[in-house]
């Protein structure tokens, strides 16, 4: 397994729309394992393949406090979403140290393949529902900052560019 490089906003590759996974093979299984290792190492609760510059419809997540229930969702699709929505602070491994309010469905049902290629439906609520919606946005080339006002988005972009410049000078 390996820890992968996480792309940071405003990297244009984060806006790439992911393609469906044609076959759950050894390469996909290895990538899922690497993504989980990367997510845990970065103290995240979710990670989309797009964030590690792999543009296939796959995400990993673990929203448990114990960090012992990893989920791999391949070709995920929301098949039901609650009418009720909730506003909550979100952060993102691709936008480190930035948190802001985003409105999401409080519950969703997601149909996806697991790391063995088996189809299953996850009934997600709470943090798990927020996480899966956030990561699926990544697969569509959308980041949570795009839900914010243009002013907030520009401030975040400026901050991230400055952060990147400081990292490269170090």
């Amino acid at each position: 397994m390996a820890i992968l490089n996480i792309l940071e906003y405003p990297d244009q590759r984060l806006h790439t729309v992911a393609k469906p996974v044609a076959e759950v093979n050894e390469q996909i299984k290895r990538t899922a394992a690497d993504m989980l290792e990367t997510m845990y190492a970065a103290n995240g609760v979710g990670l989309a393949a797009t964030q590690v510059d792999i543009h296939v419809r796959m995400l990993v997540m673990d929203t448990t406090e114990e960090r012992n229930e990893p989920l791999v969702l391949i070709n995920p699709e929301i098949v039901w979403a609650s009418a009720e929505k909730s506003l909550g602070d979100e952060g993102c491994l691709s936008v480190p140290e930035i948190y802001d309010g985003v409105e999401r469905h409080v519950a969703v049902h997601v149909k996806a393949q697991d790391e063995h290629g088996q189809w299953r439906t996850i009934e997600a609520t709470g943090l798990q529902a927020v996480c899966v919606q956030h990561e699926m946005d990544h697969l569509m080339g959308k980041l949570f900052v795009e839900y914010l006002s243009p002013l907030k988005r520009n401030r975040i972009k400026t901050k991230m560019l400055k952060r990147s410049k400081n990292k490269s000078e170090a």
Side-chain angles (χ1 to χ4, degrees):
M1 293 199 316
I3 293 182
L4 306 169
N5 181 49
I6 298 172
L7 301 176
E8 290 189 1
Y9 179 76
D11 192 308
Q12 286 303 303
R13 292 172 289 180
L14 289 166
H15 297 289
T16 305
V17 176
K19 295 182 177 10
V21 172
E23 176 190 0
V24 179
N25 55 27
E26 288 308 311
Q27 165 106 26
I28 290 294
K29 290 176 186 178
R30 239 185 339 274
T31 299
D34 290 346
M35 287 174 60
L36 281 165
E37 184 176 2
T38 302
M39 177 193 74
Y40 286 127
N43 291 319
V45 295
L47 184 68
T50 301
Q51 291 176 271
V52 292
D53 203 20
I54 299 170
H55 303 285
V56 296
R57 293 190 54 77
M58 178 168 58
L59 63 92
V60 298
M61 55 192 278
D62 185 346
T63 57
T64 63
E65 216 163 286
E66 300 80 21
R67 315 289 283 144
N68 62 357
E69 293 182 30
L71 275 178
V72 175
L73 301 180
I74 300 168
N75 297 320
E77 175 188 343
I78 294 176
V79 294
W80 176 85
S82 65
E84 183 184 354
K85 292 185 174 185
S86 177
L87 181 69
D89 269 359
E90 285 187 28
C92 180
L93 295 175
S94 291
V95 193
E97 301 170 19
I98 304 291
Y99 299 88
D100 214 316
V102 177
E103 188 176 63
R104 301 279 187 187
H105 298 280
V106 298
V108 292
H109 295 177
V110 180
K111 181 180 172 188
Q113 290 172 281
D114 64 16
E115 64 272 26
H116 307 292
Q118 299 302 309
W119 285 96
R120 57 193 281 189
T121 299
I122 309 288
E123 296 181 8
T125 59
L127 178 58
Q128 191 178 50
V130 170
C131 184
V132 76
Q133 291 171 83
H134 175 109
E135 300 310 332
M136 287 180 68
D137 275 354
H138 277 298
L139 300 179
M140 296 306 296
K142 186 173 185 177
L143 285 89
F144 88 97
V145 296
E146 294 173 51
Y147 289 98
L148 308 177
S149 71
L151 177 64
K152 279 187 178 180
R153 199 167 42 250
N154 283 334
R155 283 185 181 157
I156 292 167
K157 184 176 184 177
T158 300
K159 187 174 185 175
M160 294 302 297
L161 288 170
K162 185 177 179 182
R163 174 189 160 98
S164 177
K165 183 180 178 207
N166 290 342
K167 275 170 85 175
S168 66
E169 289 174 356

